[in-house]
Amino acid sequence: MSAEKIRCDKDTLLAKSLLETPEVKRVNRWIEDNEDDKPNSIRRHLLSTSVRLSPQISPRLHKMAQHCGDVLGLSLPLELYAFSDPKYNAACFKPEDGRLYIMFSSGILEAFDEKELLYVMGHEIGHHIYNHHAVPIGYILRGKARPPADLALKLFAWSRYAEFSADRAGAYCTNDLDSVARALFKLASGVSRFAAPNVDSMIEFDLNEFMSQVDDMVDDDAHPGQGAPTQDWFSTHPFSPLRVKALAHFHESALMTAGGYDKDTLEVQVNGLMKLMEPGYLEAKTSDARVMRNLFIAAAINLAELGGGISAEEREVLQQFLGKTLDLKRLDADQLAALLPQRLAEAVEQTTRSQRMQLIRDLSLVAQADERACAEKESMLKRFTQELGVPNVFLTQCLGREPELD
Ligand SMILES: [Zn+2]
């Protein structure tokens, strides 16, 4: 089976459309022009900061890399590196000079067993096989020129599905859901030792218990105000129990188990899981969606008014969110400002915390539409964040934007 057959459909679709976007094309041209000046920069950087894990130093890792390469149809030779960092981390670089580079933190090499590392390695090679580096998400989101809001949202969505594809590649190499889930548990919790006959540990690993965390998050969405989904809910990397659940579906499908359901059914299930992260309040007709929309309009107009009236860039972003049907000129900023406290209170009463987090994320995009009155906008956003009961660190994440494909 080729790796393409297990790739997440939404990843394929969104990547294709992103690569045709003028903005993405422009950034890619810029990267290409600048790369010409620095040949072999990745390898030189790795050789000077990390330790190369040659086949002599780690024959086992190389055997594993060979296995992942064979399974996923990798056509390039691999070079593996270790760098000093107690955190669990690994990354795959864009190939250079016909070689692919993967680096592992010392933490992950010491804490993960062979099968868990197989998953990590397969995941990283998956990013390369699926050409995920072709979408320069970091450059666009962290660049000086802010991307249009719809492009930013599309990039966030794509990167989550891209992670799912890479996860499937890793799971496919490992072929053992329990080990894959352990690896994700270790990554999410930082805990590396589980209780076993000869191992003393506070933690016993339980796959179903770990996955049940997703069900609790769903419950929280059904009962606003209870429980607390973490800020990971909206980060680029899908929340770990969600990834495990998506991988459990993958293992049940015909892609991994003879007689399992087909890929279309699998994708429907995965899209259902992802919907938890993207409730589309701007179009939905439910009463909580109406509350969110009303608050979004009042808050966004108030943010945009800071710095002296709505600028052309802000108008553009607002219209991407609200559509052309809403006539911005007919909105009365003073009236909306007076309505704000009531609309904030309604949102707290009638929406879930993850819905409010989405509001903050969307308002952050409005606030960053232009360069005017940045400090004032940030403090207004801080006030919204606080009043909506959203952790401040989530706002920092929205404004800092540090999604990384690793
Ligand atoms: Zn990844």
Side-chain angles (χ1 to χ4, degrees), residues 350-370:
Q350 299 180 43
T351 65
T352 66
R353 168 124 78 149
S354 54
Q355 285 175 313
R356 281 173 265 140
M357 289 168 89
Q358 191 182 10
L359 268 167
I360 293 295
R361 189 196 59 185
D362 294 348
L363 289 170
S364 308
L365 291 172
V366 174
Q368 293 176 104
D370 65 20

Side-chain angles (χ1 to χ4, degrees), residues 90-92 119-120 123-124 126-127 132 159 162-164 166-167 237-238 243 404-406:
C92 177
Y119 157 74
V120 172
H123 176 108
E124 295 306 330
H127 278 311
H132 288 156
S159 64
E163 285 310 312
F164 278 166
D167 274 351
H237 270 46
R243 289 167 72 178
E404 198 82 60
L405 278 181
D406 57 12

Side-chain angles (χ1 to χ4, degrees), residues 321-332:
F321 276 111
L322 299 167
K324 299 261 184 266
T325 47
L326 191 82
D327 186 1
L328 291 175
K329 283 195 213 88
R330 288 181 54 197
L331 295 174
D332 183 334

Side-chain angles (χ1 to χ4, degrees), residues 12-42:
T12 312
L13 223 71
L14 285 168
K16 190 164 171 275
S17 116
L18 279 167
L19 288 171
E20 283 161 7
T21 309
E23 215 101 9
V24 175
K25 282 187 176 169
R26 190 178 51 77
V27 173
N28 270 335
R29 264 197 309 273
W30 181 88
I31 295 173
E32 213 173 289
D33 291 348
N34 281 276
E35 260 171 5
D36 291 347
D37 313 338
K38 307 175 255 176
N40 294 324
S41 60
I42 293 173

